[in-house]
Amino acid sequence: MSRVIPGLTAVSKSDLPVLLPFKPTPAATTRVNFSQWLASIPFWVPFMIFAAAFWPVHAFAQSNGFSLTQAFETLWRWIPFLLLHGFVFTVIISVLTMLLGTILGVFLGLGQISRNRFVRWCSYWITQIFRNSPWLVLLFIVMLSFPFQIDLFGLSIPVPDWTKAVIGLSLPVMANISEIVRGAIGSVPSAQWEAAESLAFSRRQTLFEIILPQCIKRMIPPWMNWYAILTMATPIVSILGVEEVLNLTRQAIEAENNRPELLIPFYGFVLLIFFVYCYPIARLTMWLERKYAVKL
Amino acid sequence: MNWTPDQPIVSLINVHKSFGAFEVLKGISMDIMKGEVVCIIGPSGSGKSTLIRCINALNDIQAGSISVEGQEVHDDNLDKLALRKKVGMVFQQYNLFPHKTALQNVMMAPLKVLKQNKVEVEERARALMKKVRLEGKENSYPGELSGGQQQRVAIARSLAMNPDVMLFDEVTAALDPETVKEVLVTIKDLASEGMTCILVTHEMGFAREVADHIYFTDKGVIVEHGPPATFFDNAQDARTREFLGKVL
């Protein structure tokens, strides 16, 4: 007769209260909810949805003589244009926005931990205001308040719409990066500051030599998370006439005589490109999140 | 003020320190001469750690005077960096920089703060690693070292600044019993080389063996002090005797 050993040869169970394994939770600011959700979608699901988007074409095919094959061919014809002119521009806007937002956000985040009370107070409120404002409103303000050209020493420099879009979108990004920086610095134990202090490091040296090198890795997943959110949000600049993927899609449908059965396939395709672009970013974010969360 | 080695290297006069309404130190005075090893003992919460943290201005004080080599610490215009170059400190939780190797931890302050030559700093850092008996661990990260090893790196890191006074804040309190000894041996070596050491400790045997002078604090005041022999064998105050009775 073999012995039954709970936990080895049988399911371990106990009536006693058990202390469950401790899982350290990452600091609040490193939350990457959006990427977590996106990364949890099986990769084939959006493709299935996209395929289903052709259903209306099939349904209408009898009445107006526009077949499924024709609809697909029409989309196929437009894909290079939509990708190379539309989506590439969307990506450029998102990258530039992220760049600007990150630079401004890092300064704002450092401002939030400044020893100067006034700087700290200003940085806090700038961060809070831009973090909690509707993006479209910020975008309108920047779009409408900035001149369409700047006259400098008799030289007129045009300010195209997309630059204003970049500035407008970078404001909320800046505020969120500011929070990431503040949170990451705050996640380093205060004992590290003390140890550096006792070794005669100045505050600036402590920050740049000791604190930031320790938390920079932890900022990467939330930073990437915000990049994915931003990319998904860039189509709102189409409202203001920037020729990005959504606007070009609308123009393409117009060029195809506004056939109603094309609407869902075309916009469905746009949705699919956003997914294909952001999905790997989300997966990478989650992977880095797991990799860095344990350390420190 | 010019300081000469025959004057106390660290001098506390009637130091008062409060955290909000709670007064932690209620008039502490002590003089420590160069080369002296001083142990501060006492029950938890008696203000021992706060006391030595005040000496290198990690905590400020509300009244009284602390001077290190004649330099007043309790002064708004104090050059804290200059003070901390003279006073090294080792913490209970080691507080090594986790993103740097042991050797880099030791080298960092002389390189970045004192802007010394890298080759010389490295040479000195290696010598210090040898001194704390950690040869061969130079390239290990703090996370790969045991508590006792980390604490010895922390001591080497402090020594790299060539301080005149070393403060030890319960440096063995977080260690396993078997690694306590290796750290104490390191401190003992240091003391025998003439380093001025101020230790907060619960290691009574060590205090008795190494200290030149023992201070017993309770509830923010110094209850009793004296050389170890008289202090341990012939304590005068009832509170001291009660404390010693519990820990010895």
Side-chain angles (χ1 to χ4, degrees), chain B residues 73-86:
Chain B
V73 175
H74 179 39
D75 175 0
D76 290 338
N77 301 318
L78 166 76
D79 180 359
K80 286 188 180 175
L81 303 187
L83 168 76
R84 286 169 186 154
K85 284 169 194 165
K86 286 188 279 197

Side-chain angles (χ1 to χ4, degrees), chain B residues 65-205:
Chain B
S65 152
I66 299 176
S67 62
V68 175
E69 293 185 359
Q71 164 77 52
E72 176 59 50
V73 175
H74 179 39
D75 175 0
D76 290 338
N77 301 318
L78 166 76
D79 180 359
K80 286 188 180 175
L81 303 187
L83 168 76
R84 286 169 186 154
K85 284 169 194 165
K86 286 188 279 197
V87 184
M89 181 152 184
V90 185
F91 299 86
Q92 181 178 347
Q93 297 292 347
Y94 341 127
N95 300 351
L96 293 177
F97 306 133
H99 61 303
K100 298 279 181 184
T101 65
L103 191 70
Q104 285 169 339
N105 262 283
V106 179
M107 289 170 64
M108 232 176 142
L111 275 185
K112 305 286 179 187
V113 178
L114 304 179
K115 315 265 185 228
Q116 289 172 343
N117 176 290
K118 190 175 175 195
V119 180
E120 287 167 24
V121 171
E122 183 167 344
E123 199 178 318
R124 235 179 47 237
R126 285 188 188 280
L128 282 170
M129 287 294 283
K130 195 171 167 184
K131 182 178 173 146
V132 297
R133 300 184 177 85
L134 282 174
E135 252 181 318
K137 295 285 182 191
E138 284 88 351
N139 296 321
S140 305
Y141 283 90
E144 300 162 347
L145 299 172
S146 74
Q149 289 170 333
Q150 287 191 53
Q151 194 58 290
R152 283 181 285 156
V153 175
I155 292 173
R157 182 176 71 171
S158 264
L159 290 174
M161 293 290 279
N162 277 327
D164 298 331
V165 180
M166 285 286 281
L167 308 174
F168 295 91
D169 186 6
E170 297 192 31
V171 290
T172 56
L175 297 177
D176 298 330
E178 52 279 24
T179 52
V180 167
K181 203 179 159 203
E182 61 191 45
V183 173
L184 293 183
V185 166
T186 309
I187 299 173
K188 212 159 95 180
D189 287 351
L190 215 56
S192 65
E193 285 165 20
M195 173 67 77
T196 312
C197 296
I198 305 174
L199 299 102
V200 169
T201 187
H202 290 295
E203 300 289 332
M204 295 304 151

Side-chain angles (χ1 to χ4, degrees), chain A residues 53-85:
Chain A
F54 280 91
W55 170 250
V57 182
H58 184 67
F60 281 111
Q62 301 301 319
S63 55
N64 59 14
F66 194 72
S67 75
L68 196 65
T69 341
Q70 275 174 303
F72 191 73
E73 272 171 7
T74 313
L75 176 62
W76 188 254
R77 226 176 28 242
W78 283 104
I79 283 178
F81 175 74
L82 293 181
L83 282 182
L84 296 177
H85 289 87

Side-chain angles (χ1 to χ4, degrees), chain A residues 82-124:
Chain A
L82 293 181
L83 282 182
L84 296 177
H85 289 87
F87 196 67
V88 166
F89 195 49
T90 296
V91 171
I92 291 172
I93 289 177
S94 67
V95 168
L96 290 177
T97 303
M98 201 60 193
L99 198 68
L100 186 61
T102 304
I103 294 167
L104 297 174
V106 166
F107 279 106
L108 198 58
L110 294 178
Q112 285 204 79
I113 56 149
S114 166
R115 264 193 300 192
N116 183 318
R117 208 190 186 132
F118 180 71
V119 173
R120 209 166 56 225
W121 185 86
C122 286
S123 308
Y124 172 79

Side-chain angles (χ1 to χ4, degrees), chain A residues 185-254:
Chain A
I185 291 173
S187 75
V188 176
S190 61
Q192 290 284 314
W193 285 94
E194 278 187 353
E197 232 184 311
S198 76
L199 288 167
F201 279 84
S202 68
R203 195 174 155 85
R204 180 183 293 257
Q205 282 172 326
T206 308
L207 187 62
F208 287 100
E209 303 285 347
I210 292 153
I211 306 299
L212 285 177
Q214 285 184 53
C215 60
I216 211 126
K217 274 195 206 160
R218 309 189 87 200
M219 294 186 213
I220 294 170
W223 179 80
M224 285 172 56
N225 187 52
W226 271 102
Y227 178 67
I229 293 173
L230 166 70
T231 307
M232 292 283 197
T234 39
I236 65 169
V237 305
S238 68
I239 294 175
L240 296 148
V242 179
E243 303 252 298
E244 47 68 71
V245 67
L246 199 63
N247 246 338
L248 294 190
T249 307
R250 194 177 47 77
Q251 288 172 19
I253 296 170
E254 271 169 18

Side-chain angles (χ1 to χ4, degrees), chain B residues 42-53:
Chain B
S44 312
S46 61
K48 311 180 296 286
S49 290
T50 310
L51 178 63
I52 71 166
R53 288 163 60 90

